[in-house]
Amino acid sequence: LFQVVHTHKPHFMALHCQEFGGKNYEASMSHVDKFVKELLSSDAMKDYNRARVYLDENYKSQEHFTALGSFYFLHESLKNIYQFDFKAKKYKKVTGKEIYSDTLESTPMLEKEKFPQDYFPECKWSRKGFIRTRWCITDCAFDLVNIHLFHDASNLIAWETSPSVYSGIRHKALGYVLDRIIDQRFEKVSYFVFGDFNFRLDAKAVVETLCAKATMQTIRAADTNEVVKLIFRESDNDRKVMLQLEKKLFDYFNQDVFRDNNGTALLEFDRELSVFKDRLYELDISFPPSYPYSEDSSQGKQYMNTRCPAWCDRILMSHSAKELILKVKNDEKIVIYDHIGPNVCMGDHKPVFLSFRIAAGAGKPIANVHKCCVVQ
């Protein structure tokens, strides 16, 4: 992270984290506080004299807990930055460094919501939801939404239909978020939505392509006759096993297909965003699938054999936000969409980042409409 900051020297930096504290958050949440303190006091961040940190650490509240963390850092050279107060419905100038944790529901500077349990009933206690903040920089107002959508609970179920039932659940949840951030309660502004969307490749199409010349063997449980394993073998070549598929196993014999040329050959199976093409824009992906990486610290490039690798972690934006971004000028690569730590173990997800400039005066045509920098 510090290397990326040093390289790109952002004036405004937004860092969105999901599953704070990890799977064992009750025991691990103390590490979160240490991480936050180190981040705020580090030498690499010394030129960021203002910060806002929002941590949902209230794991005892089953109704509200999302395990989301949103960090915003403002460089000392940046003047006149305002953040929206959703309760007062006005912008407030950002000064100093402030950390909000535990019960974020009482914080008027954000909107936080956990998805209803009936969105994903097979998960007893989901932590999926979103946090929204609104900012104004030099007459340019925009929303930043930290999002965590639902995962695939079973590879076998994901393989059954195309698109999968899980894809439909994510579609419903993302549609809910987009409707929420453009509803009539507040003025409409451009928005960026980024986090763990859990988008997966079309599993049925991927398996049929990877194992086009294979024969499939079905293994069923003796007591229930339920399918518990699928084995795909080459028709010849001593019937070598190409792929084994279980609820939480996706063991393909050649991982290079997911890494070579950044996995570009598999992008055609990344289809979940196509439903939202009229509402969301994404720059071209030029990095390998961001999940599921090995959690072995010596295996920074290795994928785990638990799921089919996919681009779960994304940075998406409204079409109006796309217009705010300064395009490439004089062959200078100003807009960069990439992943962090390609050779370093950073958990099962590899973080992604988007670096860009906002075009000078980009927000001025609508400045009089949203009056973003008029502080009452």
Side-chain angles (χ1 to χ4, degrees):
L1 173 67
F2 290 156
Q3 286 176 358
V4 171
V5 171
H6 178 74
T7 300
H8 299 281
K9 297 179 173 55
H11 287 175
F12 180 93
M13 187 176 88
L15 172 66
H16 285 178
C17 303
Q18 301 79 42
E19 290 292 12
F20 244 120
K23 294 178 179 67
N24 302 312
Y25 43 82
E26 293 186 25
S28 304
M29 203 58 85
S30 60
H31 299 298
V32 172
D33 296 334
K34 182 182 176 184
F35 170 77
V36 173
K37 287 174 183 173
E38 191 167 321
L39 199 56
L40 289 173
S41 63
S42 66
D43 188 59
M45 304 297 291
K46 68 179 186 301
D47 293 333
Y48 295 85
N49 61 351
R50 290 151 294 169
R52 290 293 181 271
V53 178
Y54 303 103
L55 305 173
D56 186 2
E57 297 182 305
N58 188 24
Y59 56 80
K60 293 180 180 177
S61 173
Q62 183 171 343
E63 184 183 352
H64 297 294
F65 182 51
T66 63
L68 293 172
S70 297
F71 298 71
Y72 304 99
F73 300 93
L74 287 67
H75 195 272
E76 60 188 12
S77 64
L78 207 53
K79 310 300 181 189
N80 299 323
I81 305 302
Y82 300 86
Q83 188 181 359
F84 191 66
D85 182 320
F86 288 96
K87 189 173 182 180
K89 293 189 176 182
K90 64 180 181 181
Y91 287 84
K92 295 181 177 177
K93 192 167 185 176
V94 180
T95 59
K97 297 179 180 180
E98 297 177 2
I99 300 174
Y100 299 86
S101 61
D102 206 24
T103 51
L104 296 183
E105 289 74 33
S106 60
T107 304
M109 307 308 288
L110 58 80
E111 283 197 320
K112 190 197 90 170
E113 201 166 334
K114 178 180 171 180
F115 295 121
Q117 187 66 37
D118 60 5
Y119 271 41
F120 200 46
E122 63 183 277
C123 188
K124 281 192 297 186
W125 188 9
S126 166
R127 296 177 292 280
K128 309 300 191 288
F130 70 94
I131 288 178
R132 168 200 194 184
T133 57
R134 177 170 289 190
W135 303 83
C136 181
I137 302 176
T138 59
D139 289 335
C140 187
F142 52 86
D143 281 349
L144 299 179
V145 183
N146 184 352
I147 194 168
H148 192 183
L149 296 182
F150 302 97
H151 58 280
D152 280 15
S154 167
N155 291 323
L156 293 170
I157 293 175
W159 178 82
E160 288 175 355
T161 55
S162 177
S164 77
V165 61
Y166 303 118
S167 175
I169 293 169
R170 287 187 284 272
H171 176 190
K172 178 181 177 183
L174 181 53
Y176 174 85
V177 174
L178 297 182
D179 289 343
R180 181 78 173 158
I181 62 178
I182 63 165
D183 63 18
Q184 300 303 312
R185 294 168 305 137
F186 309 103
E187 292 184 77
K188 292 179 183 178
V189 299
S190 301
Y191 56 83
F192 297 85
V193 186
F194 51 111
D196 179 8
F197 292 83
N198 261 315
F199 288 159
R200 306 301 169 97
L201 303 185
D202 186 323
K204 192 169 186 64
V206 168
V207 170
E208 288 174 351
T209 300
L210 294 178
C211 304
K213 297 180 180 178
T215 56
M216 185 181 81
Q217 177 187 358
T218 303
I219 312 293
R220 297 179 180 272
D223 51 348
T224 64
N225 204 37
E226 178 187 5
V227 176
V228 293
K229 190 172 190 174
L230 300 175
I231 302 175
F232 297 83
R233 300 177 185 272
E234 291 189 36
S235 301
D236 45 23
N237 194 24
D238 296 329
R239 292 186 50 75
K240 178 183 175 182
V241 174
M242 298 181 70
L243 172 67
Q244 295 186 72
L245 203 64
E246 296 178 20
K247 181 178 180 180
K248 293 187 177 181
L249 179 73
F250 188 97
D251 189 2
Y252 187 63
F253 80 105
N254 178 22
Q255 274 203 6
D256 289 342
V257 70
F258 304 110
R259 287 189 290 258
D260 288 350
N261 196 26
N262 292 322
T264 302
L266 297 170
L267 274 172
E268 65 173 293
F269 304 112
D270 178 69
R271 299 168 178 167
E272 292 196 33
L273 188 57
S274 62
V275 178
F276 296 95
K277 64 180 182 296
D278 294 334
R279 307 181 72 179
L280 290 168
Y281 172 80
E282 181 180 28
L283 281 102
D284 291 338
I285 291 175
S286 59
F287 48 86
S290 64
Y291 169 88
Y293 279 91
S294 169
E295 294 177 306
D296 180 336
S297 61
S298 65
Q299 301 288 333
K301 286 187 172 181
Q302 189 77 12
Y303 288 107
M304 282 194 285
N305 293 328
T306 53
R307 309 286 186 195
C308 177
W311 288 272
C312 291
D313 307 275
R314 317 280 277 260
I315 299 174
L316 312 177
M317 65 194 80
S318 63
H319 288 280
S320 59
K322 168 189 164 188
E323 300 306 316
L324 295 176
I325 295 176
L326 190 64
K327 296 294 185 288
V328 175
K329 194 164 133 184
N330 300 329
D331 295 328
E332 183 185 0
K333 196 174 183 185
I334 293 172
V335 181
I336 300 170
Y337 187 31
D338 205 351
H339 64 323
I340 292 176
N343 304 315
V344 181
C345 175
M346 302 183 74
D348 55 353
H349 287 259
K350 200 74 79 174
V352 302
F353 75 95
L354 175 63
S355 173
F356 62 89
R357 291 187 191 175
I358 292 179
K364 294 213 185 296
I366 56 171
N368 292 327
V369 177
H370 58 66
K371 297 186 175 66
C372 77
C373 293
V374 175
V375 182
Q376 298 165 353

